[in-house]
Amino acid sequence: MKLISVRALSALAVTTMLAGAPLFAHAAETPAEAGSKTAVQTDTDVSGFIGSINPAEVGGLLNYCTENAYLADNDAAFKVLQSYNQKINAVPDGQEGNMHYALGTAGQLQANGKTYTIATASVPLRQKACKAVLERAQAAL
């Protein structure tokens, strides 16, 4: 039951994000950056930024990583995701969604004043970023 709830909430979070913000043309802009061109869609290694992003973004990214199976032990990573989200209340009950969680679930993160889209990076870089996300979530438990 919890599996369905987290995945349904992540889908709701993404839907809320897309409905409440300008369309993410190639996932390039967040609401805070509307009108600016600070998104980085290249093969940037973002694993070094994971330690500085919002905790809810970490939860969202871990959700992205498990949904797309970028981690070696996806089942174990999903259990970490559930525990982590519960600990930091990344997906609170009775709310429309958490924008940071939705951003992460879309494969994006904000660091250094830019929005990076790991979804457009090469698979090895996505896996490296996902490993860093999993390690941060595990360290917080």
Side-chain angles (χ1 to χ4, degrees):
M1 181 67 178
K2 192 69 168 174
L3 172 72
I4 294 170
S5 298
V6 171
R7 298 219 186 240
L9 286 173
S10 66
L12 175 62
V14 170
T15 302
T16 301
M17 176 183 66
L18 293 176
L23 283 179
F24 282 76
H26 304 288
E29 297 178 356
T30 63
E33 299 173 338
S36 70
K37 298 295 177 195
T38 59
V40 177
Q41 296 182 16
T42 61
D43 267 358
T44 302
D45 181 1
V46 298
S47 60
F49 301 143
I50 301 303
S52 65
I53 63 175
N54 184 288
E57 238 173 286
V58 171
L61 280 167
L62 189 52
N63 185 53
Y64 170 84
C65 294
T66 58
E67 284 183 350
N68 292 289
Y70 289 124
L71 295 158
D73 188 351
N74 210 48
D75 290 335
F78 186 74
K79 290 177 184 175
V80 171
L81 169 65
Q82 289 177 311
S83 297
Y84 182 78
N85 281 347
Q86 183 176 12
K87 180 176 181 171
I88 68 160
N89 198 26
V91 187
D93 291 333
Q95 297 204 11
E96 292 181 17
N98 182 316
M99 195 61 158
H100 292 287
Y101 190 83
L103 186 72
T105 296
Q108 298 180 13
L109 64 107
Q110 294 178 332
N112 300 329
K114 296 179 182 178
T115 299
Y116 294 89
T117 305
I118 67 170
T120 60
S122 66
V123 172
L125 285 178
R126 283 183 242 170
Q127 291 169 326
K128 185 175 180 181
C130 287
K131 183 179 178 195
V133 166
L134 178 60
E135 288 170 357
R136 176 165 172 201
Q138 287 173 319
L141 296 179

